Amino acid sequence: MRREMGRRHLLKPTLATALTCLSFYAILSLTLSPPTSPSSSSYLRSSSSSSSSSFSSNIIDSSRSLMDVPDLHPSSSSVRIFLYDLPRKFTYGVVENYLLARDALKPAARYDNSALRYPGHQHSAEWWLFTDLLNASRPAGSPVIRVFDPEEADLFYVPFFSSLSLVVNPIRGVSNGVVYSDERMQDELVEWLDRQPYWRRNLGRDHVFICQDPNALYRVIDQVKNSVLLVSDFGRLKADQGSFVKDVVLPYSHRINSFKGSIGLGNRDSLLFFMGNRYRKEGGKIRDMLFQVLESEKDVIIKHGAQSRESRRMATHGMHSSKFCLHPAGDTPSACRLFDAIVSLCVPVIVSDDIELPFEDVIDYTKIAIFINSKKAVQPGHLVSMLRRISSDRILEYQRELKLVKHYFEYEEPNGTVHEIWRQVSSKLPLIKFMINRDKRLVRSSLADGDCSCLCSNHTVGSMATGGSISRN
């Protein structure tokens, strides 16, 4: 009898765990279901005509308030998003400090938003999303619409330029007397948010932050981890901070020019190309091993090179004239080089075992890239012999698929990267509402076998139910 009672006692928490996990999976199936709108259906469609507009072309006149720009394309199916009117120091002020620290800010541009230009940067998604929401002539059919009454909002976007803030101070020291602290800015951002009723209302679950650099927001990540995080990968995030279900993986901005030519192999004489930093930390140590086995291979170009205008010029030529482009892990699993290869129609060869990729609900990466296990890739002769066995017809198939999807990785495209990011963000709304409603009635979870954090980040325990601010760990 005692044994039977013991089994019943264990059955209850186990059953509760199973039911909770099933609920998460049901929500997951909704959030990751195939898109139904024509603009985000199968990627097998022609690329939109490319736009050559500069970063600064999307900025509205600084004399106009952020709250005065109407959305010209309202749609009942679009997710309503409220853009926080952050203090200027968190947006344009970050750009000013970056330029000041490099003696690159023209006096006439000081405090003039319309005269500021965001620097060329692989983490410029934060600029593109911000200016897209400000833009009065946003493309029709956007997955999100901007609303100006927070009571009408489904989601709240926090436009802190966290990645640029991280690198304001040059490595070789601050010039022009600029003293800037990214840590102080992070603290002040959370202090500002703690005073906002809509931040406190739902533990920040319905808020969206962009922290594309793997170290962005590192100081306050535990205080914003309930929110939707826009990241490049999960390499520096703990299991209770980031999740592919809760968050969105973004592509880096490509740093070389897109290939404008036709599909073909006529001008692609090199078999394999790589140019980048040879020495990296953690998973990036694979790079040095690849250098050792590839440096002497015929038709392989592998060079050590840091970020510079000349390096970008050489990388552009190398990617545009090679059949395959190597993408080994860096300090984190992903890097902008992958997206440089895609827009170059150079078939990516991915040697990064833990990589997460953007927009996988509409892109089958096995059609556009080759994945190879790290241990096999560093075996002498293995990688190049595998690539040489791939027929010309097969390479052309890869190129055709790359051309079909490359607009997804071009931020300047009207229906390109920005559109896809907002679509991914909007797909999180059912799960966000599920968790908000669940929090309202769930006093305490006591599941013996886990809490399904494999699907959704553990939420920060705070005093929201009594109107207090989020607790800080």
Side-chain angles (χ1 to χ4, degrees), residues 145-433:
I145 58 169
R146 183 180 170 199
V147 295
F148 299 89
D149 181 353
E151 285 294 328
E152 299 177 357
D154 299 307
L155 298 173
F156 296 79
Y157 185 67
V158 184
F160 174 43
F161 293 169
S162 60
S163 293
L164 188 63
S165 176
L166 190 70
V167 296
V168 162
N169 296 326
I171 295 175
R172 293 179 176 81
V174 178
S175 62
N176 205 26
V178 174
V179 178
Y180 183 90
S181 170
D182 175 53
E183 291 187 347
R184 184 183 69 245
M185 291 290 284
Q186 293 180 51
D187 289 338
E188 291 178 0
L189 175 71
V190 174
E191 290 170 4
W192 186 88
L193 285 169
D194 276 345
R195 297 193 295 270
Q196 310 308 312
Y198 297 97
W199 168 252
R200 300 195 306 269
R201 182 176 64 179
N202 292 317
L203 297 167
R205 287 199 186 280
D206 49 6
H207 284 56
V208 182
F209 291 83
I210 182 165
C211 42
Q212 195 176 20
D213 188 288
N215 291 316
L217 295 181
Y218 73 95
R219 182 179 176 88
V220 297
I221 196 67
D222 280 327
Q223 292 150 259
V224 303
K225 67 182 182 182
N226 292 340
S227 304
V228 178
L229 304 180
L230 309 184
V231 300
S232 288
D233 57 48
F234 300 109
R236 300 270 170 89
L237 295 177
K238 298 177 182 177
D240 68 337
Q241 295 170 341
S243 159
F244 76 93
V245 174
K246 177 182 73 72
D247 305 318
V248 175
V249 176
L250 310 186
Y252 289 104
S253 301
H254 60 83
R255 300 292 289 121
I256 69 172
N257 298 329
S258 293
F259 181 70
K260 303 300 183 183
S262 302
I263 291 169
L265 302 177
N267 296 319
R268 295 184 182 268
D269 299 322
S270 300
L271 176 71
L272 181 66
F273 177 83
F274 174 82
M275 185 174 182
N277 197 327
R278 175 172 182 165
Y279 303 103
R280 308 301 287 177
K281 297 174 288 185
E282 301 174 3
K285 292 177 181 178
I286 188 74
R287 290 192 181 186
D288 184 45
M289 291 185 275
L290 287 167
F291 265 81
Q292 294 176 39
V293 299
L294 293 173
E295 277 181 315
S296 60
E297 291 285 353
K298 181 183 178 182
D299 297 337
V300 172
I301 300 173
I302 183 165
K303 296 180 179 179
H304 174 80
Q307 286 283 352
S308 69
R309 184 173 299 177
E310 178 61 18
S311 292
R312 286 196 297 273
R313 186 192 67 78
M314 294 174 64
T316 298
H317 175 74
M319 287 190 170
H320 290 187
S321 59
S322 298
K323 300 175 182 69
F324 300 97
C325 286
L326 186 64
H327 176 73
D331 291 345
T332 56
S334 64
C336 68
R337 196 166 291 99
L338 170 62
F339 308 104
D340 288 337
I342 290 174
V343 301
S344 298
L345 303 189
C346 183
V347 182
V349 179
I350 298 175
V351 186
S352 181
D353 299 336
D354 299 315
I355 194 169
E356 292 290 350
L357 297 166
F359 315 144
E360 283 203 83
D361 59 334
V362 291
I363 297 176
D364 180 355
Y365 281 86
T366 63
K367 293 183 177 181
I368 65 170
I370 296 169
F371 295 80
I372 182 168
N373 179 276
S374 297
K375 291 182 179 178
K376 290 184 177 180
V378 296
Q379 295 175 8
H382 179 82
L383 180 56
V384 290
S385 62
M386 182 196 73
L387 295 178
R388 287 188 177 120
R389 289 196 301 268
I390 299 175
S391 69
S392 296
D393 287 344
R394 185 71 184 95
I395 297 173
L396 292 175
E397 287 180 24
Y398 279 121
Q399 288 186 356
R400 278 190 285 270
E401 297 291 342
L402 284 166
K403 192 165 186 176
L404 287 170
V405 303
K406 78 184 189 75
H407 67 281
Y408 284 113
F409 307 101
E410 295 180 316
Y411 279 86
E412 65 274 17
E413 282 279 355
N415 286 299
T417 311
V418 172
H419 180 279
E420 289 305 306
I421 292 172
W422 288 136
R423 183 181 63 80
Q424 290 276 329
V425 169
S426 66
S427 75
K428 306 298 178 183
L429 188 58
L431 178 61
I432 292 169
K433 289 184 175 179

